[in-house]
Amino acid sequence: MAFELPNLPYAHDALGPYMSQETLEFHHDKHHQTYVTNLNNLVKDTPLASKSLEDIVTSTYNVADKAGVFNNASQHWNHMQFWEMMKPKGGGAIPGELEKRIKADFGSVDEFKAAFVAKAAGQFGSGWAWLVDNGGKLEVTSTPNGVNPLCFKGQKTLLGCDVWEHSYYIDYRNRRPDYVKAFLDSMVNWENVASRL
Ligand code: MN3
C-alpha cells in the first residue's frame, strides 16, 4: 500500500502570524508531498514496500545504497509528527506531568526553551531540533537532514522542530532563532507533546 500525504490537522492559515499560509502551502503541499511521492517511487516493487514507515527508517539508516529511501522515509515521518505537534493558538501552559519532567531535567521551562533554541540555532545547515526522552531523561538534540530519534536506540520523540530553511525563510528570512522561539511560545501543541511521554 502506498504512503499518503496526511491532511494538515488545521487550516493552512491557522498558524498565522507565526507560520504563514504561504509557508504551509509550500511546506506541506509541496515539500512534504515530494517526500511521499519519492518514497513511493523508491520502494515500489521492492521488499521495503510492505514494511511500516518506522521499519523503513530504522532499517535504511546509514545504509549507503539506501540513502535515498532513508531521506524520503525519515522526512515523511518527521513531517507527520511536526504537523501534529503544532496547533492554532499553541504554546502556553505545559501539562503538569511534562512540565515536572522538564523542570527536573533542565531546571526550568525557560532553561529548557533556551537549550532548545540554542540546539536549533547551532544545527549547521538543514536538520531538526528535538526534545527526546532518552532512557528516562529528557534531552534536547539536533540532527542533520532527515535523521530523527528513531535512528537512536532508547530515544523517544517528544517534540521536533524543522529547521530546514523551507520551514522559516518566507516568514523569518535568516532569523532561525526567532522562528524557533515563536514555535515554542505560540505554535507547539503541548498536549500532543505530553501524550508522547
Ligand atoms: Mn520540512
Side-chain angles (χ1 to χ4, degrees):
M1 208 178 78
F3 294 104
E4 288 181 8
L5 179 70
N7 288 326
L8 281 178
Y10 31 75
H12 286 76
D13 63 359
L15 298 182
Y18 309 104
M19 186 177 282
S20 65
Q21 175 168 351
E22 188 183 4
T23 290
L24 282 170
E25 283 170 356
F26 276 94
H27 197 176
H28 173 270
D29 303 5
K30 299 196 186 296
H31 287 277
H32 190 174
Q33 178 66 66
T34 299
Y35 298 128
V36 174
T37 302
N38 288 346
L39 174 62
N40 284 327
N41 288 335
L42 285 164
V43 301
K44 192 167 187 274
D45 301 327
T46 78
L48 289 172
S50 60
K51 303 271 192 197
S52 72
L53 183 60
E54 287 79 0
D55 282 349
I56 294 175
V57 170
T58 54
S59 68
T60 60
Y61 177 54
N62 265 346
V63 179
D65 66 341
K66 292 284 187 291
V69 178
F70 172 80
N71 288 335
N72 287 284
S74 61
Q75 283 290 73
H76 178 33
W77 188 86
N78 292 346
H79 287 84
M80 285 201 296
Q81 316 310 310
F82 185 53
W83 310 133
E84 299 285 338
M85 289 163 171
M86 297 186 287
K87 68 171 188 179
K89 298 188 168 64
I94 300 175
E97 178 61 24
L98 176 60
E99 187 183 41
K100 218 167 80 187
R101 297 277 308 272
I102 285 174
K103 284 178 174 170
D105 291 331
F106 296 97
S108 68
V109 171
D110 284 347
E111 283 169 282
F112 152 68
K113 287 183 175 178
F116 191 93
V117 171
K119 270 286 180 208
Q123 172 57 41
F124 185 76
S126 296
W128 292 75
W130 306 96
L131 171 66
V132 299
D133 183 336
N134 190 1
K137 189 173 191 298
L138 301 194
E139 296 175 355
V140 292
T141 68
S142 66
T143 56
N145 302 312
V147 178
N148 64 43
L150 292 176
C151 303
F152 308 104
K153 252 197 174 59
Q155 290 194 13
K156 189 197 286 180
T157 302
L158 301 182
L159 177 64
C161 183
D162 188 341
V163 298
W164 287 56
E165 287 185 349
H166 64 228
S167 193
Y168 62 90
Y169 227 79
I170 290 172
D171 300 316
Y172 299 85
R173 296 302 173 189
N174 60 329
R175 294 177 290 115
R176 187 192 287 185
D178 289 351
Y179 152 67
V180 180
K181 280 178 208 159
F183 172 77
L184 292 172
D185 289 340
S186 305
M187 293 187 258
V188 170
N189 181 343
W190 288 112
E191 290 74 26
N192 178 277
V193 177
S195 75
R196 297 165 184 266
L197 274 176

